[in-house]
Amino acid sequence: MADNLAQARHDLAIANRVVSYEGIIDAFGHVSMRHPTKPDRYLISRSRSPEVVEASDIYEYTLDSEPVTPLPDGIRGYGELVIHGEIYKARPDVNAVAHHHNMSFLPFCNSGEELVPLYHMGAQIGEKVPFWDSRDEFGDTNLLVLKPEEGRSLAKALGPYWLVLMRRHGGTVAGKNLTELVFRTIYTVRNAELQLMCKAQGHALSPLTPGEAKMAWDRNLMPRPQARAWEYWSTRLKKAGEYPAGAPKKASKSAARGKAAKRQRPARKAARR
Amino acid sequence: MADNLAQARHDLAIANRVVSYEGIIDAFGHVSMRHPTKPDRYLISRSRSPEVVEASDIYEYTLDSEPVTPLPDGIRGYGELVIHGEIYKARPDVNAVAHHHNMSFLPFCNSGEELVPLYHMGAQIGEKVPFWDSRDEFGDTNLLVLKPEEGRSLAKALGPYWLVLMRRHGGTVAGKNLTELVFRTIYTVRNAELQLMCKAQGHALSPLTPGEAKMAWDRNLMPRPQARAWEYWSTRLKKAGEYPAGAPKKASKSAARGKAAKRQRPARKAARR
Amino acid sequence: MADNLAQARHDLAIANRVVSYEGIIDAFGHVSMRHPTKPDRYLISRSRSPEVVEASDIYEYTLDSEPVTPLPDGIRGYGELVIHGEIYKARPDVNAVAHHHNMSFLPFCNSGEELVPLYHMGAQIGEKVPFWDSRDEFGDTNLLVLKPEEGRSLAKALGPYWLVLMRRHGGTVAGKNLTELVFRTIYTVRNAELQLMCKAQGHALSPLTPGEAKMAWDRNLMPRPQARAWEYWSTRLKKAGEYPAGAPKKASKSAARGKAAKRQRPARKAARR
Amino acid sequence: MADNLAQARHDLAIANRVVSYEGIIDAFGHVSMRHPTKPDRYLISRSRSPEVVEASDIYEYTLDSEPVTPLPDGIRGYGELVIHGEIYKARPDVNAVAHHHNMSFLPFCNSGEELVPLYHMGAQIGEKVPFWDSRDEFGDTNLLVLKPEEGRSLAKALGPYWLVLMRRHGGTVAGKNLTELVFRTIYTVRNAELQLMCKAQGHALSPLTPGEAKMAWDRNLMPRPQARAWEYWSTRLKKAGEYPAGAPKKASKSAARGKAAKRQRPARKAARR
């Protein structure tokens, strides 16, 4: 986790933009992180599309999804804040959450077909991907997760896992830290895309064994691949002119990226901007 | 609706470019809006691809699809103007119309398979998506909607709904205002794409219930999601250098976007241009 | 046809870049046009990918596919020139030819499934799309059309039509002029893409009737849609910085685009460059 | 092969970026080449995504995949170096290797369905595409090729061929030189994509005959198409601002591209930068 609030907000703005730039989230969807030093709070943007979020858009919320200080006049929060708050409450090991409606998830959300890990990167779906169906407890709704009890129900469906698919709606992903969350958000979608392609190819699926899935999960989350992925994503943002404004003066000591990652920041790209 | 003509033409140019930039419309297709203060007129570009439309390309037409003043020498209007005029005539509640041939609609246009709402955003297809087949009344044609009677027939097929699929041709979308129209134009295509993916996955479709569809429709059209989507689309245009030239001096008071939306305009992006 | 050689070479460079930018042709494939005033010659780039062709890369060939003047030292022509030369020889009504391996054509090239017109723009495939199989006359080859007799065989397979699919290789498209050729090259690929999608949807195909196909073909080739498409493609090239260098000083009087098209050239875009 | 080390590193940086820019490799995957003058060494980037590799990131390794001089403090090599080292050891005719997880390969990696050449460019898959399954010799692993014995096993599975698909993981491609490698890396993925499309179309596959495949393979690897492809890829990098920094002062005499290729370098694009 980032060790100070300014860095955390900057990192969260990057994470918002990465999942947009890499094609996971469009106008809707949102990404949050637990407060770096106050575990009973979380950070999330005001109601804006992740692609345009800046550090200055990010506000603090209690785990009951109330703003810590009232939002400025005219500023609105996301409607589905309870997705985030209720998961942080139920899962002390979760420090970052993303919710989205990626097209490759939606056929699974519609049909209820179970996601299985089909290649080493797909092991990031975790041991099991549970479903949540708003109809089970709430009957006809607008599908969104707006009430605290809806958020609690979703968090319960997530259970000890790291991804929950929401019937006829989308998916919610959890991570131990922000880099892991972004990594999982991207590669769980890739695995879903692959499962659709495998089905179309017409053969039986050949998933990883539980042992393979566990070992591949561990390997993906080691510092080297995590740092490499973060460098890749953030460099792509910079090249595209999509990097958020206003990085904190003091260099990050973010454990999520580590020293090696810092050294890898591309001077050339910075200069080009 | 925009409260003055200059703002309306500017907004309509934006809408044209958004549906192009978001990949819904290519060289062909067109987008119109009802005149903001004269409900017996509508505004639409001269014959140009939506991607390159400027406010200055936009002319006024009567609901019989005659230009209010003769077009300048050498300037031509679209061939299918009656799509717009006849819908505005038949549907006083419709204030914006788009017509396109998006690839994800065309398999439905070809086969006649009915579109159903498969996720909350897909509720924007409305209660029902009727079909119109030019063969039924007109036999062999070039498929285009060129004659007033063809436009009237299409408007009749649309009936009280918000999207009509035209066999072997494309789709026509209606909205209460321009933001809603763009929103519906994008998310009805996403729902069609999803329905194709669900079919390929090989399970039975699991559509929203009528109650869910109605509530999700209402939710999507509330000011916050509408403003958020408009900010997302217009920011993307700006970043890509695709924003139309010549915004009116006086700031918009467009009800379609509202005050909150205005406040959300990204100062940083404007500065970058 | 363009009325002078400099304009013709400039237009041909644009056509090369349009079919690349619109995603039809990658590193391989080529586009040619008949000489504007000498019908026994044709113009085509030296061996370069269409995306990077400049007017200065374009050389004159006889219909036997010999360069009219020897190519400069170190400059090589395409290997498959006879595709172009033999079609110009056999078809005096053809004034532009493109050859490519677009991914949406290749399943048809592999399987031999017939292309049929599935929407109004798809009418550009013409009355019938014949196949050519190099195995029929030549047995095992490297698949390319390199020898005059191979070119003649392909031209014979094309017969009076406007598109021929080459088994396990790609497609060759013909046009009465360059704009029509680019139009047909793009929309025949779109129709192939649609046919693949329709098959995947699992319903019987519902093609245009012969009468509809003929009327839609005629409509698409009228001056207004042709000018509109050319403006769209060339503006997109300009915005992307892909427009070829060195437009001739004297403004084009190209019949292919006509006066209206000229008037529609976007001043703003030009200024932006 | 490039005739000096500086040119080799520059060319390898280009190759890394081409396979990224053309959409074959994302954050993970790697590309190497044999040392131009010391055949018992190979060159490969430190652990970075291919898209961001610079010549200065490239280090020398022995064929046992040990760095020739210790890596600078804080610099890490890729985890799967033995893929490269063991193939160079087993195959003196191989001078360049790429490893990736492209989405179009993964359904074949999952199902074990054999790749066959379906068009002339697809002949680059070679006579046969063997599979390697980490389970056969090593049981449950994290799927990666990390130990020398795993690398040797993979190299043995590759045998005399040029592409090996790794079950539930990805593919490894070999080439006689760097241009051939990039060419094969791109067009083997295209053939896989085509095979998926052909399957979806629902007809029996119609592969090239062995004679056609051999002749098409030979033709594709002739200097003219190889030079043309290299010019296309490197020009696209330049236009996109993705070309690696610091080309060596002395012009390349790379046999891989040859004199003609050099002459074809686009002066205009260089000037635009």
Side-chain angles (χ1 to χ4, degrees):
Chain A
M1 298 293 310
D3 61 355
N4 68 58
L5 184 58
Q7 185 65 45
R9 291 165 88 204
H10 182 61
D11 288 349
L12 183 54
I14 295 173
N16 269 273
R17 286 160 177 256
V18 167
V19 293
S20 301
Y21 189 72
E22 301 297 336
I24 309 298
I25 293 189
D26 73 346
F28 297 94
H30 15 85
V31 186
S32 71
M33 69 184 287
R34 203 185 282 271
H35 191 289
T37 53
K38 299 172 188 159
D40 57 345
R41 294 187 184 175
Y42 69 95
L43 306 175
I44 196 166
S45 170
R46 63 183 173 99
S47 181
R48 299 189 86 176
S49 298
E51 178 172 321
V52 299
V53 165
E54 302 285 2
S56 58
D57 294 320
I58 291 168
Y59 291 89
E60 290 184 43
Y61 286 84
T62 68
L63 299 195
D64 286 330
S65 297
E66 297 295 335
V68 170
T69 52
L71 297 186
D73 180 47
I75 297 294
R76 299 288 304 268
Y78 290 120
E80 296 187 306
L81 287 169
V82 293
I83 291 178
H84 302 265
E86 298 303 324
I87 289 176
Y88 290 125
K89 239 188 251 178
R91 288 282 300 276
D93 57 333
V94 167
N95 293 305
V97 171
H99 168 68
H100 66 81
H101 321 131
N102 186 273
M103 271 287 144
S104 297
F105 269 5
L106 288 172
F108 297 90
C109 296
N110 196 264
S111 69
E113 177 178 317
E114 203 178 350
L115 269 181
V116 293
L118 294 172
Y119 78 128
H120 62 305
M121 306 302 282
Q124 285 304 309
I125 64 168
E127 263 177 87
K128 179 186 157 77
V129 181
F131 282 94
W132 179 73
D133 192 333
S134 53
R135 290 177 187 171
D136 291 344
E137 287 181 55
F138 305 100
D140 273 7
T141 66
N142 62 18
L143 279 300
L144 300 193
V145 180
L146 299 170
K147 299 175 187 163
E149 57 268 33
E150 290 167 341
R152 278 195 292 276
S153 171
L154 177 68
K156 194 177 161 197
L158 175 65
Y161 304 111
W162 298 90
L163 167 62
V164 55
L165 293 183
M166 303 147 85
R167 297 298 306 276
R168 304 164 211 88
H169 179 170
T172 296
V173 196
K176 289 206 201 69
N177 59 57
L178 201 56
T179 308
E180 180 182 314
L181 176 77
V182 174
F183 194 95
R184 184 164 300 124
T185 300
I186 292 173
Y187 286 105
T188 51
V189 164
R190 294 285 171 265
N191 191 77
E193 186 187 345
L194 174 56
Q195 189 160 332
L196 291 169
M197 292 168 81
C198 284
K199 296 282 303 259
Q201 200 189 25
H203 302 284
L205 300 177
S206 174
L208 301 195
T209 67
E212 287 175 331
K214 176 66 175 62
M215 283 186 269
W217 163 285
D218 286 344
R219 174 79 196 185
N220 289 333
L221 298 182
M222 286 176 70
R224 184 165 44 176
Q226 292 287 302
R228 178 169 164 195
W230 188 270
E231 185 207 21
Y232 171 76
W233 301 321
S234 56
T235 304
R236 280 162 62 89
L237 285 188
K238 285 175 186 170
K239 290 190 298 189
E242 297 283 352
Y243 203 72
K249 288 283 163 39
K250 197 169 147 298
S252 164
K253 283 176 189 161
S254 164
R257 292 176 319 218
K259 260 187 161 173
K262 260 175 56 194
R263 216 173 273 116
Q264 288 170 14
R265 287 282 159 66
R268 179 175 75 90
K269 303 291 177 191
R272 188 192 287 167
R273 288 167 55 89
Chain B
M1 299 293 313
D3 62 353
N4 68 58
L5 184 58
Q7 186 64 45
R9 291 166 89 205
H10 181 62
D11 288 350
L12 183 54
I14 295 172
N16 269 272
R17 285 160 177 255
V18 166
V19 293
S20 302
Y21 189 73
E22 301 297 337
I24 309 300
I25 293 190
D26 73 345
F28 297 94
H30 16 84
V31 185
S32 72
M33 68 184 287
R34 203 186 285 269
H35 192 289
T37 53
K38 299 172 189 160
D40 58 344
R41 294 188 184 175
Y42 70 95
L43 306 175
I44 195 165
S45 170
R46 63 184 174 98
S47 180
R48 299 190 85 177
S49 298
E51 178 172 321
V52 298
V53 165
E54 301 285 2
S56 57
D57 293 320
I58 292 168
Y59 291 89
E60 291 185 41
Y61 286 85
T62 68
L63 299 194
D64 286 330
S65 298
E66 297 296 334
V68 170
T69 53
L71 296 186
D73 179 46
I75 296 295
R76 300 288 304 268
Y78 291 120
E80 297 187 305
L81 287 169
V82 292
I83 291 178
H84 302 265
E86 297 303 325
I87 289 177
Y88 291 125
K89 239 188 252 177
R91 289 282 302 275
D93 56 334
V94 167
N95 293 304
V97 171
H99 168 68
H100 66 80
H101 321 130
N102 186 273
M103 272 287 144
S104 296
F105 269 5
L106 288 172
F108 297 90
C109 296
N110 197 263
S111 69
E113 177 178 318
E114 203 178 351
L115 269 181
V116 293
L118 295 171
Y119 78 129
H120 63 304
M121 306 302 282
Q124 286 305 308
I125 65 169
E127 263 179 89
K128 179 188 158 78
V129 181
F131 281 95
W132 179 73
D133 192 333
S134 52
R135 289 176 188 172
D136 291 345
E137 288 181 55
F138 306 100
D140 273 6
T141 67
N142 63 17
L143 281 300
L144 301 192
V145 179
L146 300 169
K147 299 175 187 163
E149 58 267 35
E150 291 167 340
R152 279 194 293 275
S153 171
L154 176 68
K156 193 177 160 198
L158 174 64
Y161 304 111
W162 298 90
L163 167 63
V164 55
L165 293 183
M166 302 146 87
R167 298 296 307 276
R168 303 162 211 91
H169 179 170
T172 296
V173 196
K176 288 203 202 72
N177 59 56
L178 202 54
T179 308
E180 180 182 315
L181 175 77
V182 174
F183 194 94
R184 184 164 300 124
T185 300
I186 292 174
Y187 286 105
T188 50
V189 164
R190 294 284 171 267
N191 192 75
E193 187 187 344
L194 175 56
Q195 189 160 333
L196 291 169
M197 292 168 81
C198 284
K199 296 281 304 257
Q201 200 188 25
H203 302 285
L205 300 176
S206 174
L208 301 194
T209 66
E212 287 175 331
K214 176 66 174 63
M215 283 186 269
W217 163 286
D218 285 344
R219 175 79 195 185
N220 289 332
L221 298 182
M222 286 175 69
R224 184 165 44 176
Q226 292 287 302
R228 179 168 162 197
W230 188 270
E231 185 208 21
Y232 172 76
W233 302 321
S234 56
T235 304
R236 280 162 61 89
L237 284 188
K238 284 175 185 169
K239 289 190 298 188
E242 297 283 352
Y243 203 73
K249 288 284 162 39
K250 196 169 149 300
S252 165
K253 283 176 189 161
S254 165
R257 291 177 320 216
K259 259 188 163 173
K262 258 176 59 193
R263 217 172 273 116
Q264 288 170 13
R265 287 283 158 68
R268 178 176 76 90
K269 304 289 176 190
R272 186 192 287 166
R273 289 167 54 91
Chain C
M1 300 293 310
D3 61 355
N4 69 58
L5 184 58
Q7 186 64 44
R9 291 166 88 205
H10 181 62
D11 287 350
L12 182 53
I14 294 172
N16 269 271
R17 286 160 176 256
V18 167
V19 292
S20 301
Y21 189 73
E22 301 298 335
I24 309 298
I25 293 190
D26 74 345
F28 296 94
H30 15 84
V31 185
S32 72
M33 69 183 287
R34 204 185 284 270
H35 191 290
T37 53
K38 299 172 188 161
D40 57 345
R41 294 187 184 174
Y42 70 94
L43 305 175
I44 196 167
S45 170
R46 63 182 174 98
S47 180
R48 300 190 84 177
S49 298
E51 178 171 322
V52 298
V53 165
E54 300 285 2
S56 57
D57 293 319
I58 291 168
Y59 292 89
E60 291 184 41
Y61 286 84
T62 68
L63 298 195
D64 286 329
S65 297
E66 297 295 335
V68 169
T69 53
L71 297 186
D73 180 47
I75 296 296
R76 300 287 304 268
Y78 291 120
E80 297 187 305
L81 288 170
V82 293
I83 291 177
H84 303 264
E86 298 303 324
I87 289 177
Y88 291 124
K89 238 188 251 178
R91 290 281 300 276
D93 55 335
V94 167
N95 293 305
V97 170
H99 168 68
H100 66 80
H101 321 131
N102 186 273
M103 271 288 143
S104 296
F105 269 5
L106 288 171
F108 297 90
C109 296
N110 196 264
S111 69
E113 178 177 318
E114 203 177 350
L115 270 181
V116 293
L118 295 171
Y119 79 129
H120 63 306
M121 306 301 284
Q124 286 304 308
I125 64 168
E127 262 179 90
K128 179 188 159 77
V129 181
F131 281 95
W132 179 73
D133 192 332
S134 52
R135 288 177 188 172
D136 291 345
E137 287 181 55
F138 306 100
D140 273 7
T141 67
N142 62 18
L143 280 299
L144 301 192
V145 180
L146 299 169
K147 299 176 187 164
E149 58 268 33
E150 291 167 341
R152 278 195 292 276
S153 170
L154 176 68
K156 195 177 159 196
L158 175 64
Y161 305 110
W162 298 90
L163 167 62
V164 56
L165 292 183
M166 303 147 85
R167 297 296 307 275
R168 302 161 212 90
H169 179 168
T172 296
V173 195
K176 288 205 201 72
N177 59 57
L178 202 55
T179 307
E180 179 182 315
L181 175 77
V182 174
F183 194 95
R184 184 165 299 124
T185 300
I186 291 173
Y187 286 105
T188 51
V189 164
R190 294 285 170 265
N191 192 76
E193 187 187 344
L194 175 56
Q195 190 160 332
L196 292 169
M197 292 168 81
C198 284
K199 296 283 302 260
Q201 200 189 25
H203 302 285
L205 300 176
S206 174
L208 302 194
T209 66
E212 287 175 331
K214 176 67 174 62
M215 284 186 268
W217 163 285
D218 286 344
R219 175 78 194 186
N220 289 333
L221 298 182
M222 286 175 70
R224 184 165 44 175
Q226 292 286 301
R228 179 169 162 195
W230 188 270
E231 185 208 21
Y232 171 75
W233 302 320
S234 55
T235 304
R236 280 162 61 88
L237 284 188
K238 284 174 186 169
K239 290 190 298 189
E242 298 282 352
Y243 203 72
K249 289 283 164 37
K250 199 169 148 299
S252 164
K253 283 176 187 160
S254 165
R257 293 177 318 216
K259 260 188 161 173
K262 258 176 58 194
R263 216 172 272 117
Q264 289 171 12
R265 287 282 157 70
R268 179 176 74 91
K269 303 291 176 190
R272 188 192 287 167
R273 289 167 56 89
Chain D
M1 301 293 310
D3 62 355
N4 68 58
L5 185 57
Q7 186 65 44
R9 291 165 89 203
H10 181 63
D11 288 351
L12 183 53
I14 295 172
N16 269 272
R17 286 160 177 256
V18 167
V19 291
S20 302
Y21 189 73
E22 301 297 336
I24 310 298
I25 293 189
D26 73 344
F28 296 94
H30 15 85
V31 186
S32 71
M33 69 183 289
R34 203 185 283 272
H35 192 289
T37 53
K38 298 172 188 160
D40 58 345
R41 295 188 183 173
Y42 70 94
L43 305 175
I44 196 167
S45 170
R46 63 184 174 97
S47 181
R48 299 189 86 176
S49 297
E51 179 171 321
V52 298
V53 165
E54 300 285 2
S56 57
D57 293 320
I58 292 168
Y59 291 89
E60 291 184 42
Y61 286 85
T62 68
L63 299 195
D64 287 331
S65 297
E66 297 296 335
V68 169
T69 53
L71 297 186
D73 180 47
I75 296 295
R76 299 289 303 268
Y78 291 119
E80 296 188 306
L81 287 169
V82 293
I83 291 177
H84 302 264
E86 299 303 324
I87 288 176
Y88 290 124
K89 239 189 249 175
R91 290 282 301 275
D93 56 333
V94 167
N95 292 304
V97 171
H99 168 67
H100 66 80
H101 321 131
N102 186 273
M103 271 288 143
S104 297
F105 269 6
L106 287 172
F108 297 90
C109 295
N110 196 265
S111 69
E113 177 177 317
E114 203 177 352
L115 269 181
V116 293
L118 295 172
Y119 78 129
H120 62 305
M121 307 301 284
Q124 285 304 308
I125 64 168
E127 263 178 88
K128 179 187 158 77
V129 181
F131 281 95
W132 179 72
D133 192 333
S134 52
R135 290 177 187 171
D136 291 345
E137 287 181 56
F138 305 100
D140 272 7
T141 66
N142 63 17
L143 278 301
L144 301 192
V145 180
L146 300 169
K147 299 176 187 164
E149 57 268 32
E150 291 167 340
R152 279 194 292 275
S153 171
L154 177 67
K156 194 175 159 198
L158 175 64
Y161 304 110
W162 298 90
L163 167 62
V164 55
L165 292 183
M166 303 147 86
R167 297 297 307 276
R168 304 162 211 88
H169 179 170
T172 296
V173 195
K176 289 205 200 71
N177 59 57
L178 202 55
T179 307
E180 180 183 315
L181 175 77
V182 173
F183 194 95
R184 184 165 299 125
T185 299
I186 292 172
Y187 285 106
T188 50
V189 164
R190 294 285 171 265
N191 193 76
E193 187 186 346
L194 174 55
Q195 189 159 333
L196 292 168
M197 292 168 81
C198 284
K199 297 282 302 260
Q201 200 189 23
H203 302 285
L205 300 176
S206 174
L208 302 194
T209 66
E212 286 175 332
K214 176 67 174 61
M215 282 186 268
W217 163 286
D218 286 344
R219 175 77 195 187
N220 288 333
L221 298 182
M222 285 177 70
R224 183 165 44 176
Q226 292 286 301
R228 179 169 162 196
W230 188 270
E231 185 208 20
Y232 171 75
W233 301 320
S234 55
T235 304
R236 278 162 63 89
L237 285 188
K238 285 175 185 169
K239 289 190 298 188
E242 297 283 352
Y243 203 72
K249 290 283 163 38
K250 197 168 147 301
S252 164
K253 283 174 186 164
S254 165
R257 293 177 319 216
K259 261 187 161 172
K262 259 177 56 194
R263 215 171 273 118
Q264 289 171 13
R265 287 283 159 71
R268 178 175 75 91
K269 303 290 177 190
R272 187 192 288 168
R273 289 168 54 91

